[in-house]
Amino acid sequence: MKIGSHAVARMLGVWREGPGPSHQRLSDRLRLLILDGRLPLGGTLPSERDLAEALGTSRTTVGSAFRTLVDGGYVSTRARTRATVRLPDDPVPERPSGADEGTIDLSFAAPAAPVRILHAAFAAAVEQLPRHFERHGYDRYGTVELREAVARSYERRGLPTRPDHILVTNGAQHALALLARVLLAPRGRVVLDHPTYPHALTIFTEARARIVPVALTPTGWDAEQLEAAGRQADFAYLIPDFHNPTGMCMPSSLREQLRLDCPTVIDETMTDLALDVPHPEPFALHSPAAVSIGSVSKSIWGGLRVGWIRARPSLLERVEKARLTTDLGTPVVEQLATAYLLEGNQSRRPEMLRQLRSQRDALSRALSEHLPQVHAPRPAGGVTMWAAFPDPVSSRLAAVAPDHGVTLAAGPRFGVGGAFERHVRLPFTLPAPQLIEAVRRIAQAEKALTQGITGIHAPARMA
C-alpha cells in the first residue's frame, strides 16, 4: 500500500512544534503515527523529495528523520524502493521498578457495572423469555418490549415517539455504522463537531467519506460555521449532550436555532449523565427530521451492548434492509433486560450521578495539585475531561505513560489532520483514589518526556 506525501503531511499536522531539531521532531511524529496504526504496517512511505515538498522543508530534514526511523526499526529500506513501515523486534521494556504493579487504564470512559441492578434486570428478562420461544428470534427491528420502553423514555423527555420510530441495534456505534451505510455514498461529505468520538471517525473513513470538521470553540458549538458546512454536506454527526471527549452540552437556545441542510444524526449516548445541570432536551424536539441514536453503555454498563435509532419509519425500513449483511438482530435476553432497566429509569440513578460528580471533582483536584499547568474545564455532565497541556506532548505522553503504570487516550485520536496534540481525554469513571494515583503517574510520565525519554507503546484500545 503506497501512502501519498500529502496524506502523510495531513496526518503529521503541526509537527514543527516542540523541543529538539526539526529532523528529530519529524521522526518522532512519524514513529507515533506508526505506533498509532495511522501509517499501516507494510505500507510504503513517500520519497524523501516528495515528502519534503509536501511539508515545505528540506530533503535533508526528511532524510535524517527516515534514517532515525530505520535505526529504530520502524522503517526498512532496500535499494531503489520506497521505505516500508514496520515495527521493531525489540521487546517492550519493563516498567521502572519504582512504579506500582497495577496499570490504571484511562483509555476506557465507562462506568463500573451496577451489579445488583443488572442481576435484577436479567432475572426479570429470563422470566419473560418463554413468551418469545414460539417466535423465530430474528427481529431486525427489535423486540416490542424494548421499542416501547425506548419510546416511553423519549416521551418522558418531552418528545412524542411511537414504537415504530425505534429500531434496536447492538450499541450506538452499530447504529451509526448502519446509518452511514444507508445515507452516505463514497466521497460524500460528513460534517462533525471537532474533536469527536474516534470510532465515529473510523466509520466515516471506512465509508470513504470526506470529513468536514467544525471546531468546537472554548464556549461550544459555532452555529454559523455548522450551518455553512451543512449546506455542502451529505451527512452530519453531532454529540450535543455532554460531548465526548469535551463534556460540553449544547444550550437549548442553540438547539432551537440550529438548522442543517443535510441528514443529521444526533448521538445521545451521554444524555442521562447530567451532573450539574438539568438533563438536556432532545435535539429532535426542535429538528423533527433529526435522527437520534442512543445506548445504555455509558449510563448503565458497557457490556450491555444494546442501542437504538429513533427516526421516521421510512428511514428505519431502509436501515432494516441494510443490516441484513451484518447481523440478524440484537439478542433477545439483552433487549428484555434493557427494557426492564429503562422502564425503571435506571439510566438516571441518583447514586450513580452523585458518584460520578464526586469522582470528577477528585480528578479536578488531583490535576490542580500534580499538573497545575494543565487546563481541564470541569464538565457539567458526561464521563470525561478534555485536558490541555501547554505543549504538544499528547501522543508522546501516551506512548511513554504505560512505563509509569497508566494508559491514556491521546488527543489526535479524537480528530483529523494531527489535531489536538496538546490534549488528552481523562475519564472520571474510576474510584477517586485510582484517579488521584493516575494523575500522579501522568505527572511522572510528563517529567520523563522533559528528560528526553521516548516510549514505544502502541495506543491502547479505547471506548
Side-chain angles (χ1 to χ4, degrees):
M1 174 184 176
K2 292 183 179 180
I3 308 169
S5 58
H6 291 287
V8 174
R10 285 193 298 271
M11 286 187 278
L12 284 167
V14 188
W15 61 275
R16 288 181 173 83
E17 295 185 7
S22 295
H23 71 84
Q24 185 61 52
R25 292 198 300 271
L26 179 57
S27 67
D28 200 29
R29 290 296 293 273
L30 287 168
R31 178 178 60 86
L32 291 170
L33 289 176
I34 293 169
L35 289 173
D36 199 15
R38 285 179 280 172
L39 291 177
L41 299 181
T44 54
L45 295 174
S47 68
E48 294 177 7
R49 182 182 61 188
D50 289 347
L51 185 56
E53 182 177 345
L55 294 176
T57 192
S58 70
R59 184 172 175 178
T60 301
T61 296
V62 176
S64 297
F66 276 16
R67 285 191 291 276
T68 300
L69 292 172
V70 171
D71 293 342
Y74 292 94
V75 164
S76 61
T77 57
R78 289 184 298 173
R80 296 185 296 278
T81 63
R82 287 186 171 195
T84 302
V85 175
R86 62 182 292 259
L87 286 176
D89 298 325
D90 297 335
V92 175
E94 294 183 2
R95 203 165 60 238
S97 57
D100 293 342
E101 284 300 318
T103 296
I104 300 174
D105 191 352
L106 294 184
S107 60
F108 280 80
V115 177
R116 180 183 57 81
I117 291 170
L118 284 174
H119 270 299
F122 276 91
V126 170
E127 288 183 4
Q128 297 177 38
L129 187 60
R131 294 188 302 184
H132 291 259
F133 286 162
E134 295 181 356
R135 309 172 193 173
H136 50 63
Y138 293 111
D139 192 336
R140 291 185 294 274
Y141 280 92
T143 65
V144 172
E145 292 90 337
L146 181 53
R147 292 166 66 198
E148 289 178 345
V150 173
R152 279 192 284 270
S153 72
Y154 278 107
E155 293 274 359
R156 288 194 295 270
R157 296 174 60 200
L159 181 63
T161 303
R162 301 193 310 267
D164 64 346
H165 286 105
I166 304 298
L167 182 142
V168 178
T169 62
N170 300 313
Q173 186 175 330
H174 180 220
L176 182 60
L178 290 171
L179 289 166
R181 183 179 306 169
V182 169
L183 297 173
L184 260 180
R187 304 296 295 166
R189 291 178 179 269
V190 177
V191 172
L192 46 79
D193 32 30
H194 198 227
T196 192
Y197 185 52
H199 296 307
L201 290 173
T202 300
I203 288 170
F204 299 137
T205 300
E206 291 182 350
R208 293 183 292 162
R210 290 180 290 177
I211 296 174
V212 182
V214 177
L216 284 171
T217 71
T219 58
W221 288 259
D222 187 323
E224 184 177 347
Q225 291 291 329
L226 280 172
E227 289 175 346
R231 284 192 283 271
Q232 304 296 324
D234 304 286
F235 190 102
Y237 169 71
L238 303 177
I239 314 174
D241 299 351
F242 310 119
H243 178 267
N244 186 0
T246 69
M248 291 183 177
C249 188
M250 184 182 289
S252 296
S253 58
L254 183 54
R255 295 170 192 248
E256 295 172 6
Q257 167 193 348
L258 188 61
R259 295 293 180 271
L260 301 182
D261 295 334
C262 62
T264 302
V265 175
I266 302 299
D267 190 332
E268 297 183 323
T269 307
M270 301 283 186
T271 194
D272 286 328
L273 301 178
L275 302 181
D276 296 334
V277 295
H279 291 279
E281 61 191 12
F283 190 93
L285 195 63
H286 305 291
S287 298
V291 178
S292 304
I293 61 176
S295 79
V296 292
S297 64
K298 303 299 185 185
S299 58
I300 297 179
W301 183 45
L304 192 56
R305 304 304 307 151
V306 176
W308 53 83
I309 301 171
R310 182 197 179 277
R312 291 171 175 169
S314 57
L315 175 58
L316 294 184
E317 184 177 353
R318 295 168 61 192
V319 172
E320 184 269 337
K321 292 177 180 177
R323 80 182 295 180
L324 280 169
T325 60
T326 59
D327 72 296
L328 297 176
T330 303
V332 173
V333 175
E334 281 81 347
Q335 291 188 68
L336 296 176
T338 303
Y340 174 91
L341 292 164
L342 291 179
E343 294 288 19
N345 208 23
Q346 296 296 336
S347 60
R348 294 187 177 186
R349 303 186 309 281
E351 68 276 11
M352 174 192 68
L353 298 177
R354 281 195 298 270
Q355 183 175 356
L356 283 174
R357 192 179 300 115
S358 174
Q359 290 167 182
R360 177 202 60 187
D361 295 346
L363 176 60
S364 183
R365 289 192 297 270
L367 288 169
S368 297
E369 178 180 353
H370 298 288
L371 289 165
Q373 75 279 22
V374 171
H375 177 62
R378 192 173 70 170
V383 294
T384 60
M385 283 186 180
W386 189 230
F389 285 73
D391 300 310
V393 299
S394 179
S395 295
R396 290 188 294 138
L397 188 63
V400 78
D403 291 334
H404 297 269
V406 62
T407 56
L408 298 172
R413 302 182 73 181
F414 298 82
V416 297
F420 309 117
E421 194 57 75
R422 297 177 187 271
H423 288 82
V424 172
R425 186 188 73 172
L426 297 176
F428 44 86
T429 50
L430 295 175
Q434 283 188 271
L435 293 173
I436 295 168
E437 176 62 18
V439 173
R440 188 185 68 81
R441 296 181 186 186
I442 295 170
Q444 291 177 342
E446 189 198 32
K447 183 177 180 181
L449 290 183
T450 65
Q451 297 170 348
I453 303 297
T454 58
I456 65 170
H457 296 276
R461 290 177 13 181
M462 57 179 294

